[in-house]
Amino acid sequence: MKLCPIVPLLIALSVCFVRSVEAQSEATPEVHSETKDAGEAISEEPAEPWDTPTHLALYNALTNTFYTETSALSRVSSALAVGGEIDRALEVAQKIEDAAAKASALSRIASILAEAGDREQALVLLKNAVEVAQEIEKPFEKATALSETASTLAELGEEEQASVALKYGVDAAQKIERPLTRVFALCRIAAAQTKAEDKAQALATLTQASEVVQLLSDERQEVYGKVAIASEQAKAGDREQALAGLTQAIEAVQDIQDQMSKTPARNAIAEALAKMGEGRRALAVAEEIEDSMSRAFALQSIAVILTERVSVGTMREG
């Protein structure tokens, strides 16, 4: 497995450490004692938390007041996994009390294991991640965690397990009170269903999302909802319906009263069209942006997207 270097992370954390020591010199002995205990989750040695890069990372993350303990442990677990220290990453991940953060951390580690060819351990972790995700109370976080885990399962060819996880995800998404948030959750689930080669179910999920869009009274939210749905419909193979949805989004922009809000809405539509290869239509939408600088950025973004499409197409042909 090709491992990403963690040196930049450790340098950044070292800077945070120095600043933390300077700002809290009187509290250092007490903090040292507490973080040494936390460090035992990784190893009983060395005696000092900064004797190795791993312990330095954990020490700084846990003593940096900018992060919550959950955030700190999640970041350290990810850094360790990317650095190839899987056992230590798992030890840190198991200390995460927040179910959503823990499920996400386990899924990330599983993905790294899968890339390294350790399919068996990756599947064990993903099964654990699904179980942990079931404990999440907030429906959006639950749907998101299950979508993430299902996507990794699909990448490993475990479509059946992915489908089971996504059914739980749909159930969670249906409990989300805010319509636009529910739409985004359903779109994430549909994306995972497409990855699991269950495109028919993905389109059915997107139909549910389209019904939710009808509940939106804010034109801006309507545009973003339609764009999100259209993007996933295109990936699931229903290009015709996707283009119809983007046409509706273009019309909805006209009803937005705030002129400044029209710019990001048009930009979102233009990018979605460009990703579908509809270059001319994307440019036409971008040209409607009144602010010259915003219009220039939109046109630049379209150019990049279209260029990437050509590059990917060339690579596939080659």
Side-chain angles (χ1 to χ4, degrees), residues 52-115:
T52 67
T54 296
H55 283 72
L56 175 62
L58 179 61
Y59 179 82
N60 280 280
L62 292 179
T63 57
N64 189 330
T65 56
F66 180 78
Y67 302 126
T68 62
E69 181 176 345
T70 294
S71 177
L73 291 173
S74 296
R75 288 170 179 270
V76 171
S77 176
S78 294
L80 290 171
V82 171
E85 301 187 56
I86 301 299
D87 289 341
R88 291 178 173 179
L90 285 172
E91 290 179 25
V92 175
Q94 293 299 341
K95 286 186 68 65
I96 300 174
E97 295 183 0
D98 180 76
K102 186 173 183 178
S104 181
L106 291 173
S107 291
R108 285 196 297 270
I109 297 172
S111 181
I112 291 172
L113 283 170
E115 290 178 3

Side-chain angles (χ1 to χ4, degrees), residues 286-300:
E287 289 292 350
E288 292 293 323
I289 297 175
E290 295 184 3
D291 179 69
S292 59
M293 183 172 293
S294 297
R295 183 168 62 252
F297 278 124
L299 293 171
Q300 180 183 24

Side-chain angles (χ1 to χ4, degrees), residues 11-292:
I11 292 175
L13 289 172
S14 298
V15 173
C16 293
F17 167 70
V18 173
R19 291 177 178 174
S20 176
V21 171
E22 292 176 347
Q24 305 179 32
S25 57
E26 295 182 359
T28 299
E30 181 180 354
V31 172
H32 171 80
S33 175
E34 293 175 357
T35 52
K36 182 176 179 181
D37 292 338
E40 290 177 0
I42 294 181
S43 173
E44 294 181 358
E45 296 182 352
E48 304 295 344
W50 47 78
D51 283 351
T52 67
T54 296
H55 283 72
L56 175 62
L58 179 61
Y59 179 82
N60 280 280
L62 292 179
T63 57
N64 189 330
T65 56
F66 180 78
Y67 302 126
T68 62
E69 181 176 345
T70 294
S71 177
L73 291 173
S74 296
R75 288 170 179 270
V76 171
S77 176
S78 294
L80 290 171
V82 171
E85 301 187 56
I86 301 299
D87 289 341
R88 291 178 173 179
L90 285 172
E91 290 179 25
V92 175
Q94 293 299 341
K95 286 186 68 65
I96 300 174
E97 295 183 0
D98 180 76
K102 186 173 183 178
S104 181
L106 291 173
S107 291
R108 285 196 297 270
I109 297 172
S111 181
I112 291 172
L113 283 170
E115 290 178 3
D118 193 344
R119 175 189 175 86
E120 184 176 352
Q121 188 177 1
L123 289 175
V124 170
L125 285 184
L126 290 171
K127 181 180 179 180
N128 190 2
V130 172
E131 293 173 350
V132 172
Q134 299 284 33
E135 301 173 5
I136 300 173
E137 295 182 0
K138 296 181 179 179
F140 178 76
E141 291 183 357
K142 186 172 186 177
T144 299
L146 288 166
S147 298
E148 181 181 358
T149 303
S151 292
T152 306
L153 283 167
E155 290 173 358
L156 290 174
E158 296 291 330
E159 288 86 2
E160 186 174 345
Q161 290 190 47
S163 295
V164 172
L166 289 169
K167 287 180 181 178
Y168 294 137
V170 172
D171 291 340
Q174 298 292 6
K175 298 176 183 178
I176 298 173
E177 294 183 1
R178 295 184 178 180
L180 185 59
T181 304
R182 196 187 318 163
V183 169
F184 288 154
L186 289 170
C187 285
R188 288 190 179 189
I189 292 170
Q193 289 170 330
T194 297
K195 186 175 290 187
E197 297 299 328
D198 193 353
K199 295 184 177 181
Q201 189 58 51
L203 292 173
T205 299
L206 292 169
T207 296
Q208 294 181 43
S210 297
E211 294 171 354
V212 178
V213 168
Q214 304 303 318
L215 303 176
L216 297 170
S217 57
D218 186 296
E219 291 81 5
R220 292 171 300 178
Q221 293 188 4
E222 180 183 353
V223 169
Y224 294 128
K226 288 182 179 297
V227 169
I229 293 170
S231 297
E232 297 307 327
Q233 286 174 327
K235 295 174 185 176
D238 195 343
R239 182 183 178 85
E240 181 179 353
Q241 192 61 43
L243 289 174
L246 290 175
T247 298
Q248 293 173 5
I250 293 173
E251 296 171 353
V253 171
Q254 305 301 328
D255 296 327
I256 297 177
Q257 299 301 313
D258 180 14
Q259 292 299 316
M260 292 185 64
S261 297
K262 288 186 177 182
T263 295
R266 284 186 170 126
N267 188 54
I269 296 170
E271 288 188 0
L273 286 166
K275 289 176 182 179
M276 291 179 62
E278 294 287 328
R280 292 184 178 180
R281 293 189 65 184
L283 291 173
V285 173
E287 289 292 350
E288 292 293 323
I289 297 175
E290 295 184 3
D291 179 69
S292 59

